[in-house]
Amino acid sequence: MTGQRRSAAWFGATGRAGMIYRSWMRNQGFGAEVFDGRPVIGIATSASELAPCNAHLTRVAEAVKRGVWQAGGFPLEFPTMATGETLMRPTAMLYRNLMAMEVEELIRANPLDGVVLLSGCDKTTPAMLMAAASVDLPAIMVTGGPMLNGKYRGTDVGSGTHVWKFEEELKAGRMTQEECFFAEGCMARSNGHCMTMGTASTMACMAEALGMQLPGSAAWPAVDARRFEIGQSAGQRIVTMVEEDLRPSRILTREAFENAIRVNAAIGGSTNAIIHLLAIAGRAEVDLSLDDFDTLIREVPTLVNLMPSGKYLMEDFCYAGGLPVVMRQLAEAGLLHTESVSVTGKPLAENVATAENFDTDVITPMDSPFQPAGNGTAVLRGNLCPGGAVIKQSAASPHLLKHQGRALVFDTVEDYHAVADDPDLDVDETSVLVIRGAGPKGYPGMPEVSNVALPAKLLKAGVTDMVRICDGRMSGTGYGTVVLHVTPESAAGGPLALVRTGDLVTLDVTARTLNVEVTDEELTARREVWPAPETAYTSGYTWLYTQHVLQADQGADFDFLRGSRGHSVPRDSH
């Protein structure tokens, strides 16, 4: 036993403590030879039947173990919580920080020299990356992969994206409830996360773009044999990373985050990537701001033709060549930091040098992109969002990117849903729906409710989009002219709380502005009579969340979790 590895403080110990650590592990059938000083690799798995996107990760973990054993390591699988957006109430985002805290502490408290992070649904990926950044042990991520393409009546349908479309068709009377029931099974027909470029696919790509996942691994479908090959390769690689002491602090640099931001623009990725990347950067102690997500992408075209902005799905993206093709094109255009190091130990340029594009309709060339440069996520400022707001231009209607309309204000999304089907609702296609009370503190948890379905009377009249403004989030699978992440949120006293029905709201995406046409004096007068909402939580985790969560422009992490706390071996109680 070398006594040199972190795990040796447990398995290399002498006396009573060493006997306790080794003997209890041997009740699982491990032989004495596994305590010979070899790297101990934790396999953190968020597998759970309550998180359908992650349910298959147990099989991925088996593949990772094979790789660890092959490379001479000692693999130990352990469960983490799973924050699945599909079932958790009030929103999985409420629990992202809890998962990050749990994973961090599990890694630090146990005899691990390195860790493989197995994630799937959209919050599990950032939560695990946040944890890895804070504990800073060698770490590599393996995401679970997307579902196979949905198939409905001879056409491809995308999870999430077609939920919104089918809902609108149902409300407009163009689809029956029975047809919707049938379509459900057509959308989700295999293990895996959403196969649109929603937040789960986006964050898998972000893990790869940041350098925390093996090149090409973000896109392979969950049920493709190569998903398990990737797991095995990651298991082999993490053992070498321990030998090299290649830790997240060497990978998650400012340059890596700039790369990820530009890649997100090129793939037409989710706006939720903004909040998650800001949170990860905060853990990695990298100076990143909301404005970076606007200024860094102005020269980046959208190259990937995937739903919700385009027509293809992740399976098509995979077979076209996946993310390495996108990154190679951006690198050759001088838009990426090509010396950034990844979990391979090699610079980005070397990782993507041989990437080939097998379908230029799915991954378009730089000289004829799917959408031109400047069409990515825009960051807005104005008297309605002094801390910023965002809009996904590629998923919005061009004719609404400059718009002025009368506000129709709702204090909660439930208030809107209660009247959305009212044929006498005082609304037309020029109206601006304002929904507040959906921010980190206000909901709580900042749910994906901002892209509410249009009022039924407008859908039946053939209206397909209208401006919506909210301090919440939108699913990465969603679409429409929706202004998101309005900061400060209404519950924190942001100007959104002061808007009244009938006020004129002006959106000008080209100018990057969002304003309510009300004088400063009037807003001040309204603030003086504004009743701050009372908290409904006086104890428990939700109370902790509302007391310590930061606003969207800082990643909605907890104020006390930003930064790295390292991986020093805790005190021994034996």
Side-chain angles (χ1 to χ4, degrees), residues 169-192:
E169 292 293 288
L170 185 64
K171 283 180 172 289
R174 294 186 291 266
M175 194 172 187
T176 68
Q177 188 63 66
E178 289 72 22
E179 289 171 328
C180 283
F181 284 144
F182 178 75
E184 290 173 9
C186 301
M187 270 190 295
R189 64 189 188 95
S190 79
N191 286 143

Side-chain angles (χ1 to χ4, degrees), residues 482-550:
V482 188
V483 177
L484 311 154
H485 311 179
V486 173
T487 306
E489 63 173 301
S490 58
L496 196 68
L498 309 178
V499 181
R500 296 177 180 173
T501 293
D503 289 345
L504 283 179
V505 174
T506 302
L507 168 66
D508 189 337
V509 175
T510 300
R512 300 297 197 265
T513 57
L514 178 67
N515 290 291
V516 57
E517 303 302 329
V518 174
T519 65
D520 292 343
E521 291 76 14
E522 173 61 19
L523 289 176
T524 299
R526 292 182 186 182
R527 182 172 298 282
E528 290 175 354
V529 297
W530 173 70
E534 295 182 9
T535 180
Y537 306 97
T538 57
S539 64
Y541 172 73
T542 307
W543 173 84
L544 176 74
Y545 183 95
T546 56
Q547 295 300 304
H548 291 281
V549 69
L550 297 165

Side-chain angles (χ1 to χ4, degrees), residues 338-474:
T338 56
E339 296 306 309
S340 290
V341 174
S342 79
V343 290
T344 66
K346 301 173 183 177
L348 181 154
E350 189 172 341
N351 287 336
V352 303
T354 60
E356 293 184 66
N357 190 349
F358 302 111
D359 192 331
T360 56
D361 197 37
V362 177
I363 307 175
T364 58
M366 287 289 292
D367 57 3
S368 55
F370 173 58
Q371 294 185 356
N375 202 46
T377 299
V379 176
L380 310 175
R381 302 280 180 178
N383 69 355
L384 200 49
C385 53
V390 302
I391 184 170
K392 186 174 180 178
Q393 296 182 83
S394 63
S397 298
H399 73 280
L400 291 175
L401 294 178
K402 186 172 184 178
H403 179 79
Q404 185 177 80
R406 184 180 66 90
L408 182 58
V409 181
F410 298 91
D411 287 327
T412 69
V413 67
E414 291 82 6
D415 288 347
Y416 171 71
H417 288 153
V419 300
D421 293 340
D422 185 350
D424 297 321
L425 184 65
D426 185 15
V427 64
D428 61 34
E429 66 271 19
T430 68
S431 300
V432 174
L433 294 181
V434 175
I435 297 172
R436 55 197 179 201
K441 294 178 182 290
Y443 195 74
M446 203 178 181
E448 297 177 342
V449 299
S450 301
N451 61 320
V452 294
L454 272 55
K457 64 182 286 186
L458 298 184
L459 289 171
K460 291 177 180 177
V463 178
T464 59
D465 197 8
M466 64 189 301
V467 176
R468 286 152 280 178
I469 299 172
C470 186
D471 48 10
R473 297 179 301 114
M474 176 174 77

Side-chain angles (χ1 to χ4, degrees), residues 11-74:
F11 298 143
T14 58
R16 179 178 66 180
M19 185 179 298
I20 289 172
Y21 294 131
R22 291 186 297 272
S23 65
W24 259 263
M25 291 300 292
R26 293 185 70 173
N27 82 349
Q28 299 178 71
F30 296 122
E33 67 274 8
V34 301
F35 308 114
D36 61 2
R38 68 186 66 190
V40 179
I41 305 299
I43 302 172
T45 173
S46 54
S48 170
E49 291 182 348
L50 286 172
C53 303
N54 297 33
H56 64 297
L57 291 177
T58 300
R59 279 201 62 202
V60 179
E62 293 172 359
V64 174
K65 287 179 185 176
R66 288 199 302 269
V68 174
W69 285 121
Q70 288 170 340
F74 178 20

Side-chain angles (χ1 to χ4, degrees), residues 317-333:
F317 180 52
C318 176
Y319 304 149
L323 198 66
V325 174
V326 176
M327 295 183 70
R328 179 179 180 179
Q329 292 187 181
L330 294 177
E332 290 175 347

